[in-house]
Amino acid sequence: MNIILLGPPGAGKGTVAGNIKSELGIMHLSTGDLLRSEIKKGTELGKQAKELIDQGKLVPDEVIIGMVSALIAQSGEQGIMFDGFPRTVAQAEALGKIAEIDAVVLLDADEDVVTERICSRRICPGCGAVYNTALLNGSNVCEACNTELTSRADDNEATARERFQVYMQNTQPLVDFYEKADVLCRIDANRTSGEVAENVLKALKDIK
Ligand code: AP5
Ligand code: MG
């Protein structure tokens, strides 16, 4: 089964994927995580991407399509949960030529809700765990590996709002695109992460 998690920045795509991937037994592929790993390694792709990501702009379609196509080719029979890809109609068309998509889950959330979530997100540079200050009770260390938590470079209010505008302009048209293909499920992502995961699993139950 191949699934796309669609939704604005901070809607909870990564959180949902983390909560349901073992239940579904499929691979989680986040283009944002892949790009941040290229930045960490200091590759040419990472250097190009960093400038755009820090401004909240999209990385060019051809770079993203090349990166994802290579991974799909290596993934074998295992299904994939795409997170943050596709983000443009060109990316969706390219994906349609190389993989069959069984469901597209739209995590629908308001601009103020997602901006607040982004500004209060903390990440562990040691093991990659993702937290939110709302649930950290004042602690700033990773529960799993005791490393001091940090913020993503693009997690500030101005960049979060820019990312939301970029989403509305470039990615929102995919809602129509996948509605026409009759594969779209809408989930209210303003709810708690537990409720969101449960509702996504319910929506996918008929497809499994
Ligand atoms: P990417 O890393 O994909 O960022 P994004 O789409 O902006 O989404 P986020 O990762 O910020 O949010 P999320 O929905 O995963 O939320 P999360 O679960 O972490 O992309 C970054 C950049 O890379 C892009 O801006 C672009 O430059 C580039 N890029 C990536 N893919 C690209 C592509 N295909 N084409 C071109 N460029 C591309 O949750 C957020 C916070 O909220 C966390 O703290 C979490 O704990 C909390 N939270 C989650 N769910 C809930 C809930 N239900 N209730 C309360 N809190 C919650
Ligand atoms: Mg994410």
Side-chain angles (χ1 to χ4, degrees):
M1 174 163 63
N2 293 318
I3 300 164
I4 295 170
L5 294 177
L6 191 65
K13 302 181 292 294
T15 302
V16 170
N19 287 340
I20 68 172
K21 68 179 174 193
S22 59
E23 181 133 355
L24 297 177
I26 61 178
M27 174 183 150
H28 173 206
L29 193 161
S30 155
T31 42
D33 288 348
L34 291 171
L35 293 167
R36 281 183 290 278
S37 146
E38 295 292 324
I39 294 172
K40 206 168 173 185
K41 286 189 268 179
T43 63
E44 221 22 70
L45 193 163
K47 284 178 198 154
Q48 279 173 28
K50 180 168 172 42
E51 206 172 315
L52 294 162
I53 292 175
D54 287 356
Q55 293 171 49
K57 308 279 185 213
L58 294 185
V59 173
D61 284 337
E62 58 276 18
V63 173
I64 298 288
I65 292 166
M67 188 173 80
V68 175
S69 305
L71 281 163
I72 292 176
Q74 290 163 20
S75 71
E77 295 294 299
Q78 201 185 7
I80 302 179
M81 180 154 40
F82 295 97
D83 159 0
F85 174 87
R87 253 173 158 101
T88 63
V89 171
Q91 291 180 17
E93 286 171 348
L95 178 61
K97 289 182 190 149
I98 51 177
E100 195 174 320
I101 300 302
D102 300 291
V104 177
V105 175
L106 171 64
L107 297 176
D108 224 348
D110 302 333
E111 180 176 357
D112 286 342
V113 170
V114 299
T115 304
E116 169 66 27
R117 285 182 189 171
I118 284 177
C119 293
S120 50
R121 172 169 42 200
R122 296 293 179 271
I123 49 162
C124 174
C127 68
V130 178
Y131 295 92
N132 196 282
T133 54
L135 300 173
L136 275 168
N137 293 324
S139 161
N140 199 38
V141 290
C142 178
E143 283 166 12
C145 68
N146 224 27
T147 306
E148 193 169 341
L149 303 176
T150 57
S151 294
R152 267 170 49 176
D154 56 346
D155 279 358
N156 54 74
E157 181 164 356
T159 313
R161 293 209 183 265
E162 172 63 20
R163 284 156 62 195
F164 192 87
Q165 292 314 315
V166 167
Y167 169 82
M168 291 307 285
Q169 200 176 339
N170 298 278
T171 312
Q172 172 76 11
L174 294 183
V175 173
D176 252 16
F177 183 95
Y178 286 119
E179 207 151 38
K180 281 188 189 131
D182 205 21
V183 284
L184 192 83
C185 335
R186 286 173 191 268
I187 300 290
D188 179 3
N190 296 299
R191 293 170 173 270
T192 66
S193 53
E195 287 171 320
V196 174
E198 197 182 316
N199 290 337
V200 172
L201 283 174
K202 266 189 214 155
L204 293 175
K205 214 167 144 221
D206 297 337
I207 299 155
K208 252 173 118 178

